[in-house]
Amino acid sequence: MDLTTCLIVDDSRIIRKVARRIVEGLGYEVDEAADGAEALAYCTGAMPDVLLVDWNMPVMDGLSFLRRLRGLPGGDQPKVLFCTIETRPDRIAEALAAGADDYVMKPFDGEILQSKLAEVGAIAA
Protein backbone atom coordinates (compact mmCIF):
# COMPACT_ATOMS: atom_id res chain seq x y z
CA MET A 1 0.00 0.00 0.00
CA ASP A 2 1.42 3.35 -0.97
CA LEU A 3 1.12 5.89 1.78
CA THR A 4 1.06 9.26 0.16
CA THR A 5 -0.68 11.88 2.29
CA CYS A 6 0.52 13.30 5.58
CA LEU A 7 -1.20 15.80 7.85
CA ILE A 8 1.08 17.76 10.18
CA VAL A 9 -0.81 18.97 13.23
CA ASP A 10 1.12 21.50 15.30
CA ASP A 11 0.43 24.99 16.61
CA SER A 12 3.99 26.05 15.74
CA ARG A 13 4.33 27.27 12.15
CA ILE A 14 8.09 26.67 12.36
CA ILE A 15 7.68 23.03 13.43
CA ARG A 16 5.12 22.50 10.66
CA LYS A 17 7.52 24.02 8.12
CA VAL A 18 10.46 21.86 9.25
CA ALA A 19 8.34 18.68 9.36
CA ARG A 20 6.82 19.49 5.95
CA ARG A 21 10.26 19.78 4.37
CA ILE A 22 11.32 16.42 5.82
CA VAL A 23 8.10 14.58 4.96
CA GLU A 24 7.85 16.02 1.44
CA GLY A 25 11.43 14.84 0.95
CA LEU A 26 10.18 11.32 1.71
CA GLY A 27 7.64 11.61 -1.10
CA TYR A 28 4.49 12.56 0.81
CA GLU A 29 1.86 15.05 -0.19
CA VAL A 30 1.57 17.27 2.90
CA ASP A 31 -1.18 19.34 4.48
CA GLU A 32 -1.08 21.23 7.77
CA ALA A 33 -3.43 21.97 10.66
CA ALA A 34 -2.72 24.37 13.54
CA ASP A 35 -4.71 22.49 16.19
CA GLY A 36 -6.70 19.33 16.86
CA ALA A 37 -10.07 20.85 15.92
CA GLU A 38 -8.74 21.95 12.52
CA ALA A 39 -7.18 18.51 12.05
CA LEU A 40 -10.42 16.74 12.98
CA ALA A 41 -12.36 18.80 10.43
CA TYR A 42 -9.72 17.92 7.81
CA CYS A 43 -9.87 14.18 8.60
CA THR A 44 -13.67 14.20 8.40
CA GLY A 45 -13.33 15.37 4.79
CA ALA A 46 -10.23 13.42 3.70
CA MET A 47 -8.44 10.86 5.86
CA PRO A 48 -4.65 11.18 5.50
CA ASP A 49 -2.38 8.12 5.46
CA VAL A 50 -0.06 9.48 8.15
CA LEU A 51 -0.40 12.14 10.84
CA LEU A 52 2.30 13.89 12.82
CA VAL A 53 0.52 15.24 15.88
CA ASP A 54 1.77 17.68 18.50
CA TRP A 55 0.60 17.06 22.07
CA ASN A 56 0.21 20.57 23.48
CA MET A 57 -1.96 22.78 21.29
CA PRO A 58 -4.72 25.33 21.88
CA VAL A 59 -8.39 24.62 21.01
CA MET A 60 -7.96 20.82 21.04
CA ASP A 61 -4.79 19.08 22.21
CA GLY A 62 -3.20 16.12 20.47
CA LEU A 63 -4.52 13.49 22.86
CA SER A 64 -8.14 14.67 22.57
CA PHE A 65 -7.74 14.83 18.79
CA LEU A 66 -6.29 11.31 18.65
CA ARG A 67 -9.16 9.83 20.67
CA ARG A 68 -11.71 11.54 18.40
CA LEU A 69 -9.80 10.53 15.24
CA ARG A 70 -9.78 6.85 16.19
CA GLY A 71 -13.56 7.02 16.60
CA LEU A 72 -14.17 8.38 13.08
CA PRO A 73 -15.11 6.12 10.15
CA GLY A 74 -11.71 5.04 8.76
CA GLY A 75 -9.99 6.76 11.69
CA ASP A 76 -8.31 3.51 12.68
CA GLN A 77 -6.36 3.48 9.39
CA PRO A 78 -3.82 6.33 9.53
CA LYS A 79 -0.42 5.87 11.12
CA VAL A 80 -0.08 8.43 13.90
CA LEU A 81 3.25 9.70 15.21
CA PHE A 82 2.99 11.82 18.31
CA CYS A 83 5.58 14.60 18.17
CA THR A 84 6.18 15.94 21.63
CA ILE A 85 8.53 17.35 24.20
CA GLU A 86 6.89 15.01 26.76
CA THR A 87 9.51 12.58 28.05
CA ARG A 88 7.66 11.00 30.97
CA PRO A 89 7.01 7.30 30.32
CA ASP A 90 3.46 7.52 31.73
CA ARG A 91 2.58 10.32 29.30
CA ILE A 92 4.05 8.39 26.36
CA ALA A 93 2.12 5.29 27.46
CA GLU A 94 -1.04 7.43 27.58
CA ALA A 95 -0.50 8.55 23.96
CA LEU A 96 0.12 4.99 22.79
CA ALA A 97 -2.98 3.77 24.68
CA ALA A 98 -5.04 6.49 22.98
CA GLY A 99 -4.05 5.12 19.58
CA ALA A 100 -0.70 6.63 18.62
CA ASP A 101 1.47 4.22 16.63
CA ASP A 102 4.71 5.72 17.93
CA TYR A 103 6.12 8.96 19.22
CA VAL A 104 8.95 11.28 18.24
CA MET A 105 10.74 13.54 20.69
CA LYS A 106 11.12 17.20 19.70
CA PRO A 107 13.32 18.53 18.33
CA PHE A 108 13.54 15.87 15.63
CA ASP A 109 15.48 15.72 12.39
CA GLY A 110 14.95 13.98 9.08
CA GLU A 111 16.83 10.85 10.10
CA ILE A 112 14.79 10.36 13.28
CA LEU A 113 11.49 11.03 11.52
CA GLN A 114 12.36 8.71 8.66
CA SER A 115 13.32 5.86 11.03
CA LYS A 116 10.10 6.29 13.05
CA LEU A 117 7.98 6.28 9.88
CA ALA A 118 9.77 3.13 8.77
CA GLU A 119 9.17 1.52 12.20
CA VAL A 120 5.40 1.99 11.93
CA GLY A 121 5.40 0.75 8.33
CA ALA A 122 4.60 4.13 6.81
CA ILE A 123 7.65 4.07 4.52
CA ALA A 124 10.02 1.40 3.30
CA ALA A 125 13.00 1.08 5.63
Side-chain angles (χ1 to χ4, degrees):
M1 168 173 130
D2 282 12
L3 298 175
T4 54
T5 57
C6 177
L7 182 65
I8 298 166
V9 188
D10 200 303
D11 56 322
S12 162
R13 203 162 41 91
I14 292 157
I15 298 276
R16 290 197 312 266
K17 192 174 178 176
V18 169
R20 172 185 279 271
R21 197 166 43 238
I22 294 167
V23 177
E24 282 179 341
L26 298 172
Y28 285 85
E29 194 176 297
V30 178
D31 273 310
E32 301 176 16
D35 61 60
E38 202 178 294
L40 200 61
Y42 178 96
C43 293
T44 306
M47 194 63 72
D49 298 307
V50 177
L51 291 106
L52 302 183
V53 181
D54 182 27
W55 191 307
N56 300 304
M57 296 179 287
V59 189
M60 183 189 292
D61 68 23
L63 204 58
S64 303
F65 163 72
L66 184 56
R67 290 186 174 125
R68 300 273 298 275
L69 170 78
R70 292 307 194 197
L72 290 175
D76 57 337
Q77 295 300 312
K79 297 292 183 185
V80 176
L81 287 185
F82 237 64
C83 302
T84 181
I85 55 170
E86 288 285 349
T87 54
R88 294 189 359 239
D90 60 318
R91 295 290 275 167
I92 290 162
E94 191 181 357
L96 295 173
D101 292 286
D102 209 338
Y103 66 93
V104 181
M105 304 311 295
K106 286 179 177 176
F108 52 81
D109 61 23
E111 202 173 299
I112 292 166
L113 204 50
Q114 188 169 359
S115 75
K116 287 289 187 177
L117 286 167
E119 273 176 42
V120 300
I123 57 171

PDB file of all heavy atoms in Angstrom, residues 19-39:
ATOM      1  N   ALA A  19       8.885  20.029   9.583  1.00  0.00           N
ATOM      2  CA  ALA A  19       8.340  18.684   9.363  1.00  0.00           C
ATOM      3  C   ALA A  19       7.901  18.512   7.910  1.00  0.00           C
ATOM      4  O   ALA A  19       8.147  17.473   7.299  1.00  0.00           O
ATOM      5  CB  ALA A  19       7.174  18.426  10.310  1.00  0.00           C
ATOM      6  N   ARG A  20       7.280  19.552   7.351  1.00  0.00           N
ATOM      7  CA  ARG A  20       6.821  19.493   5.954  1.00  0.00           C
ATOM      8  C   ARG A  20       7.994  19.230   5.015  1.00  0.00           C
ATOM      9  O   ARG A  20       7.909  18.371   4.135  1.00  0.00           O
ATOM     10  CB  ARG A  20       6.123  20.801   5.563  1.00  0.00           C
ATOM     11  CG  ARG A  20       5.806  20.884   4.066  1.00  0.00           C
ATOM     12  CD  ARG A  20       5.235  22.233   3.664  1.00  0.00           C
ATOM     13  NE  ARG A  20       3.825  22.335   3.942  1.00  0.00           N
ATOM     14  CZ  ARG A  20       2.877  21.970   3.059  1.00  0.00           C
ATOM     15  NH1 ARG A  20       3.189  21.496   1.876  1.00  0.00           N
ATOM     16  NH2 ARG A  20       1.600  22.098   3.376  1.00  0.00           N
ATOM     17  N   ARG A  21       9.084  19.946   5.240  1.00  0.00           N
ATOM     18  CA  ARG A  21      10.259  19.783   4.374  1.00  0.00           C
ATOM     19  C   ARG A  21      10.775  18.339   4.437  1.00  0.00           C
ATOM     20  O   ARG A  21      11.092  17.738   3.417  1.00  0.00           O
ATOM     21  CB  ARG A  21      11.346  20.781   4.770  1.00  0.00           C
ATOM     22  CG  ARG A  21      12.385  20.954   3.685  1.00  0.00           C
ATOM     23  CD  ARG A  21      13.306  22.142   3.851  1.00  0.00           C
ATOM     24  NE  ARG A  21      13.788  22.325   5.206  1.00  0.00           N
ATOM     25  CZ  ARG A  21      13.612  23.437   5.923  1.00  0.00           C
ATOM     26  NH1 ARG A  21      12.947  24.449   5.451  1.00  0.00           N
ATOM     27  NH2 ARG A  21      14.104  23.530   7.136  1.00  0.00           N
ATOM     28  N   ILE A  22      10.833  17.797   5.638  1.00  0.00           N
ATOM     29  CA  ILE A  22      11.318  16.422   5.821  1.00  0.00           C
ATOM     30  C   ILE A  22      10.376  15.424   5.142  1.00  0.00           C
ATOM     31  O   ILE A  22      10.800  14.578   4.362  1.00  0.00           O
ATOM     32  CB  ILE A  22      11.433  16.080   7.322  1.00  0.00           C
ATOM     33  CG1 ILE A  22      12.526  16.933   7.993  1.00  0.00           C
ATOM     34  CG2 ILE A  22      11.706  14.588   7.524  1.00  0.00           C
ATOM     35  CD1 ILE A  22      12.514  16.890   9.518  1.00  0.00           C
ATOM     36  N   VAL A  23       9.082  15.542   5.443  1.00  0.00           N
ATOM     37  CA  VAL A  23       8.095  14.577   4.963  1.00  0.00           C
ATOM     38  C   VAL A  23       7.912  14.661   3.444  1.00  0.00           C
ATOM     39  O   VAL A  23       7.800  13.642   2.772  1.00  0.00           O
ATOM     40  CB  VAL A  23       6.762  14.759   5.730  1.00  0.00           C
ATOM     41  CG1 VAL A  23       5.701  13.821   5.203  1.00  0.00           C
ATOM     42  CG2 VAL A  23       6.974  14.514   7.218  1.00  0.00           C
ATOM     43  N   GLU A  24       7.934  15.882   2.897  1.00  0.00           N
ATOM     44  CA  GLU A  24       7.854  16.015   1.438  1.00  0.00           C
ATOM     45  C   GLU A  24       9.072  15.374   0.788  1.00  0.00           C
ATOM     46  O   GLU A  24       8.966  14.775  -0.286  1.00  0.00           O
ATOM     47  CB  GLU A  24       7.743  17.488   1.027  1.00  0.00           C
ATOM     48  CG  GLU A  24       6.339  18.038   1.220  1.00  0.00           C
ATOM     49  CD  GLU A  24       6.183  19.510   0.840  1.00  0.00           C
ATOM     50  OE1 GLU A  24       7.195  20.237   0.765  1.00  0.00           O
ATOM     51  OE2 GLU A  24       5.042  19.925   0.622  1.00  0.00           O
ATOM     52  N   GLY A  25      10.205  15.471   1.450  1.00  0.00           N
ATOM     53  CA  GLY A  25      11.428  14.842   0.948  1.00  0.00           C
ATOM     54  C   GLY A  25      11.330  13.326   0.909  1.00  0.00           C
ATOM     55  O   GLY A  25      12.056  12.662   0.174  1.00  0.00           O
ATOM     56  N   LEU A  26      10.401  12.773   1.690  1.00  0.00           N
ATOM     57  CA  LEU A  26      10.181  11.320   1.707  1.00  0.00           C
ATOM     58  C   LEU A  26       9.085  10.928   0.716  1.00  0.00           C
ATOM     59  O   LEU A  26       8.674   9.776   0.653  1.00  0.00           O
ATOM     60  CB  LEU A  26       9.792  10.863   3.117  1.00  0.00           C
ATOM     61  CG  LEU A  26      10.856  11.102   4.199  1.00  0.00           C
ATOM     62  CD1 LEU A  26      10.299  10.803   5.580  1.00  0.00           C
ATOM     63  CD2 LEU A  26      12.098  10.273   3.926  1.00  0.00           C
ATOM     64  N   GLY A  27       8.596  11.901  -0.037  1.00  0.00           N
ATOM     65  CA  GLY A  27       7.639  11.610  -1.100  1.00  0.00           C
ATOM     66  C   GLY A  27       6.172  11.768  -0.732  1.00  0.00           C
ATOM     67  O   GLY A  27       5.296  11.341  -1.482  1.00  0.00           O
ATOM     68  N   TYR A  28       5.881  12.359   0.409  1.00  0.00           N
ATOM     69  CA  TYR A  28       4.491  12.559   0.814  1.00  0.00           C
ATOM     70  C   TYR A  28       3.918  13.849   0.263  1.00  0.00           C
ATOM     71  O   TYR A  28       4.633  14.817   0.058  1.00  0.00           O
ATOM     72  CB  TYR A  28       4.377  12.636   2.344  1.00  0.00           C
ATOM     73  CG  TYR A  28       4.497  11.316   3.043  1.00  0.00           C
ATOM     74  CD1 TYR A  28       5.739  10.795   3.360  1.00  0.00           C
ATOM     75  CD2 TYR A  28       3.368  10.590   3.391  1.00  0.00           C
ATOM     76  CE1 TYR A  28       5.860   9.580   4.010  1.00  0.00           C
ATOM     77  CE2 TYR A  28       3.469   9.378   4.046  1.00  0.00           C
ATOM     78  CZ  TYR A  28       4.716   8.874   4.354  1.00  0.00           C
ATOM     79  OH  TYR A  28       4.831   7.681   4.993  1.00  0.00           O
ATOM     80  N   GLU A  29       2.613  13.834   0.089  1.00  0.00           N
ATOM     81  CA  GLU A  29       1.862  15.047  -0.187  1.00  0.00           C
ATOM     82  C   GLU A  29       1.443  15.538   1.205  1.00  0.00           C
ATOM     83  O   GLU A  29       0.862  14.777   1.978  1.00  0.00           O
ATOM     84  CB  GLU A  29       0.639  14.679  -1.018  1.00  0.00           C
ATOM     85  CG  GLU A  29      -0.051  15.852  -1.647  1.00  0.00           C
ATOM     86  CD  GLU A  29      -1.182  15.373  -2.536  1.00  0.00           C
ATOM     87  OE1 GLU A  29      -0.893  14.664  -3.518  1.00  0.00           O
ATOM     88  OE2 GLU A  29      -2.331  15.701  -2.213  1.00  0.00           O
ATOM     89  N   VAL A  30       1.736  16.792   1.529  1.00  0.00           N
ATOM     90  CA  VAL A  30       1.567  17.274   2.902  1.00  0.00           C
ATOM     91  C   VAL A  30       0.524  18.376   3.034  1.00  0.00           C
ATOM     92  O   VAL A  30       0.459  19.278   2.211  1.00  0.00           O
ATOM     93  CB  VAL A  30       2.932  17.796   3.445  1.00  0.00           C
ATOM     94  CG1 VAL A  30       2.790  18.349   4.847  1.00  0.00           C
ATOM     95  CG2 VAL A  30       3.978  16.687   3.414  1.00  0.00           C
ATOM     96  N   ASP A  31      -0.277  18.258   4.085  1.00  0.00           N
ATOM     97  CA  ASP A  31      -1.178  19.336   4.484  1.00  0.00           C
ATOM     98  C   ASP A  31      -0.888  19.645   5.943  1.00  0.00           C
ATOM     99  O   ASP A  31      -0.259  18.840   6.634  1.00  0.00           O
ATOM    100  CB  ASP A  31      -2.644  18.935   4.310  1.00  0.00           C
ATOM    101  CG  ASP A  31      -3.136  19.239   2.894  1.00  0.00           C
ATOM    102  OD1 ASP A  31      -2.932  20.375   2.437  1.00  0.00           O
ATOM    103  OD2 ASP A  31      -3.699  18.332   2.260  1.00  0.00           O
ATOM    104  N   GLU A  32      -1.362  20.800   6.404  1.00  0.00           N
ATOM    105  CA  GLU A  32      -1.080  21.228   7.769  1.00  0.00           C
ATOM    106  C   GLU A  32      -2.358  21.649   8.485  1.00  0.00           C
ATOM    107  O   GLU A  32      -3.291  22.127   7.845  1.00  0.00           O
ATOM    108  CB  GLU A  32      -0.120  22.428   7.757  1.00  0.00           C
ATOM    109  CG  GLU A  32       1.207  22.164   7.092  1.00  0.00           C
ATOM    110  CD  GLU A  32       2.074  23.422   7.033  1.00  0.00           C
ATOM    111  OE1 GLU A  32       1.785  24.399   7.751  1.00  0.00           O
ATOM    112  OE2 GLU A  32       3.047  23.418   6.252  1.00  0.00           O
ATOM    113  N   ALA A  33      -2.350  21.478   9.804  1.00  0.00           N
ATOM    114  CA  ALA A  33      -3.428  21.971  10.664  1.00  0.00           C
ATOM    115  C   ALA A  33      -2.766  22.563  11.896  1.00  0.00           C
ATOM    116  O   ALA A  33      -1.760  22.047  12.378  1.00  0.00           O
ATOM    117  CB  ALA A  33      -4.369  20.839  11.045  1.00  0.00           C
ATOM    118  N   ALA A  34      -3.336  23.655  12.415  1.00  0.00           N
ATOM    119  CA  ALA A  34      -2.722  24.369  13.539  1.00  0.00           C
ATOM    120  C   ALA A  34      -3.188  23.871  14.907  1.00  0.00           C
ATOM    121  O   ALA A  34      -2.612  24.229  15.921  1.00  0.00           O
ATOM    122  CB  ALA A  34      -2.991  25.865  13.414  1.00  0.00           C
ATOM    123  N   ASP A  35      -4.248  23.049  14.922  1.00  0.00           N
ATOM    124  CA  ASP A  35      -4.710  22.488  16.191  1.00  0.00           C
ATOM    125  C   ASP A  35      -5.568  21.254  15.923  1.00  0.00           C
ATOM    126  O   ASP A  35      -5.878  20.942  14.780  1.00  0.00           O
ATOM    127  CB  ASP A  35      -5.482  23.537  17.016  1.00  0.00           C
ATOM    128  CG  ASP A  35      -6.719  24.046  16.291  1.00  0.00           C
ATOM    129  OD1 ASP A  35      -7.618  23.239  15.971  1.00  0.00           O
ATOM    130  OD2 ASP A  35      -6.780  25.252  16.030  1.00  0.00           O
ATOM    131  N   GLY A  36      -5.948  20.571  16.996  1.00  0.00           N
ATOM    132  CA  GLY A  36      -6.705  19.332  16.864  1.00  0.00           C
ATOM    133  C   GLY A  36      -8.067  19.501  16.210  1.00  0.00           C
ATOM    134  O   GLY A  36      -8.503  18.640  15.455  1.00  0.00           O
ATOM    135  N   ALA A  37      -8.740  20.626  16.503  1.00  0.00           N
ATOM    136  CA  ALA A  37     -10.072  20.847  15.922  1.00  0.00           C
ATOM    137  C   ALA A  37      -9.978  21.003  14.402  1.00  0.00           C
ATOM    138  O   ALA A  37     -10.772  20.435  13.655  1.00  0.00           O
ATOM    139  CB  ALA A  37     -10.717  22.076  16.552  1.00  0.00           C
ATOM    140  N   GLU A  38      -8.974  21.763  13.956  1.00  0.00           N
ATOM    141  CA  GLU A  38      -8.745  21.953  12.516  1.00  0.00           C
ATOM    142  C   GLU A  38      -8.403  20.604  11.867  1.00  0.00           C
ATOM    143  O   GLU A  38      -8.878  20.279  10.787  1.00  0.00           O
ATOM    144  CB  GLU A  38      -7.575  22.932  12.345  1.00  0.00           C
ATOM    145  CG  GLU A  38      -7.525  23.638  11.027  1.00  0.00           C
ATOM    146  CD  GLU A  38      -6.354  24.622  10.952  1.00  0.00           C
ATOM    147  OE1 GLU A  38      -6.351  25.633  11.701  1.00  0.00           O
ATOM    148  OE2 GLU A  38      -5.442  24.371  10.147  1.00  0.00           O
ATOM    149  N   ALA A  39      -7.587  19.817  12.556  1.00  0.00           N
ATOM    150  CA  ALA A  39      -7.183  18.505  12.046  1.00  0.00           C
ATOM    151  C   ALA A  39      -8.376  17.558  11.960  1.00  0.00           C
ATOM    152  O   ALA A  39      -8.513  16.807  10.994  1.00  0.00           O
ATOM    153  CB  ALA A  39      -6.101  17.910  12.940  1.00  0.00           C
TER     154      ALA A  39
END
